[in-house]
């Protein structure tokens, strides 16, 4: 994701970066491992007396047992219910009373809990977070109430959103065997059956120091963090239940898949096509870097992108055209294209024009002016992003939770700068190879008269 346009222009000449007094974060990252196996990362930034404290668990929805979809997210919710030492949802109250904020999130590959507080409150954050790493207590009433909360969350965010339902159906079609095809929030019928016993089994199987990464960013030193981590996290025993992840993998995808979701609530029909694509791998991020460029060259901002120029400006057949790719995942991810046709343009025509634009790109290659401009934007974007300690903590935590290393994170900006037009075209030919079968979805209104071929 790029920075806001104003900030990007301010940094377009890198000599201006000094005006922002940006810290040299690449040299301010320290890591060590506690005796119980907990990995610790410290990112120093002494410009303000603030600290971000994050605990990442190497478990997400793609690690759930069959038939228990949504349990990773459900467990995340229930982690706020309390322990013997801090009962009845006291965690967030304590953080707020100390002038901080807290939250948590679940993805396919990890679950993370975070607080942002004054630096002198770091010990307190470690105390409460370490307590719920092994001391979670749950009543049947708490589980039943929170089960209703997550079901309502699914109702509001998914069942009441044609776009969310469309995305869910496309993911299910994209992955024939891998659990990335199951929604993070879970399938409703399975969510309704999740029990207290299910949650505690999942919790005890995955929540342990030897399955966790502690990331502390802000006004701290490595020695301070080490001393506090040894006090609060060090006494926690590692769990024998934690085992290496063993996930089902994708078989060869031999057939193109097409689907149409028709919903009267659709305000604007659009189409999405996705392809399986490689993720960033430890020590091997070159292809992923090339795919970052490919997504921006095809569907980035403005009239310079291939799809934007051809469909939005030359033909005026689309009101929106984009491409997307995010390589931070444990297993194969997706590369996608999105087209929202203009009024009077059918999805079939928009799709045909998208295919023509891609075919033209594969034939003519990378526009060098756009490529060099994009390279500068990516360089500036990385500088700007490193000015946010919460963003830095998230960048390192997500990377380590998906098998990347600290060195991989540090190397990423240079790998991006080393990408060549030839690398991009190789990635494009690999992605759009006919043997790499795609999933194409149309989201339509019932009265649109559209149908997949």
């Amino acid at each position: 994701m790029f920075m806001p346009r104003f900030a990007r222009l301010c940094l377009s000449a890198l000599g201006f970066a000094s005006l922002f007094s940006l810290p040299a974060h690449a040299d301010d990252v320290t890591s060590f491992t506690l005796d119980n196996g907990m990995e610790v990362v410290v990112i120093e930034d002494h410009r303000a007396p603030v600290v971000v404290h994050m605990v990442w668990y190497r478990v997400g929805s793609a690690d759930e047992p069959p038939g228990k979809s949504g349990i990773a997210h459900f467990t995340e919710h229930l982690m706020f219910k309390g322990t013997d030492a801090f009962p009845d949802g006291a965690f967030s109250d304590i953080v707020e009373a100390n002038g901080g904020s807290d939250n948590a999130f679940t993805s396919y590959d990890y679950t993370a809990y975070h607080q942002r507080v004054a630096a002198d409150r770091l010990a307190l954050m470690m105390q409460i977070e370490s307590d719920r790493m092994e001391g979670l207590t749950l009543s049947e009433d708490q589980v039943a109430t929170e089960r209703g909360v997550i079901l309502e969350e699914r109702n509001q965010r998914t069942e009441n959103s044609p776009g969310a339902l469309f995305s869910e159906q496309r993911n299910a079609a994209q992955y024939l065997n891998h659990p990335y095809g199951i929604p993070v929030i879970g399938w409703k019928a399975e969510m309704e059956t999740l029990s207290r016993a299910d949650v505690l089994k999942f919790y005890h199987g995955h929540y342990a120091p030897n399955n966790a990464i502690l990331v502390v960013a802000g006004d701290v030193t490595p020695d301070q963090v080490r001393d506090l981590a040894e006090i609060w996290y060090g006494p926690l025993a590692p769990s024998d239940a934690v085992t290496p992840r063993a996930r089902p993998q994708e078989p060869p995808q031999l057939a193109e898949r097409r689907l149409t979701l028709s919903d009267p609530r659709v305000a604007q029909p659009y189409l999405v096509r996705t392809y399986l694509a490689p993720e960033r791998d430890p020590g091997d991020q070159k292809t992923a870097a090339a795919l970052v460029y490919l997504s921006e060259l095809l569907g980035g901002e403005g009239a310079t992108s291939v799809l934007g120029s051809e469909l939005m400006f030359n033909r005026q057949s689309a009101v929106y055209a984009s491409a997307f790719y995010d390589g931070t995942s444990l297993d194969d991810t997706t590369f996608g294209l999105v087209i929202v046709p203009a009024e009077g343009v059918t999805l079939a025509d928009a799709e045909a024009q998208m295919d023509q634009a891609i075919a033209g790109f594969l034939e003519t290659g990378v526009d060098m002016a756009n490529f060099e401009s994009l390279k500068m934007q990516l360089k500036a974007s990385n500088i700007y992003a490193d000015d946010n300690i919460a963003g830095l903590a998230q960048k390192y935590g997500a990377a380590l939770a998906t098998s990347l290393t600290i060195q991989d994170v540090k190397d990423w900006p240079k790998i991006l700068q080393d990408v060549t037009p030839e690398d991009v075209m190789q990635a494009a030919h690999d992605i759009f190879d006919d043997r790499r079968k795609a999933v194409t979805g149309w989201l339509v209104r019932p009265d649109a008269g559209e149908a997949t071929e």
Side-chain angles (χ1 to χ4, degrees), residues 344-360:
V345 178
T346 67
L347 287 173
D349 287 342
E351 185 177 343
Q353 292 177 28
M354 178 185 75
D355 288 337
Q356 292 169 10
I358 293 171

Side-chain angles (χ1 to χ4, degrees), residues 298 306 353-365 429 432:
L298 287 180
V306 172
Q353 292 177 28
M354 178 185 75
D355 288 337
Q356 292 169 10
I358 293 171
F361 173 76
L362 292 175
E363 182 176 346
T364 61
H429 284 288
F432 299 123

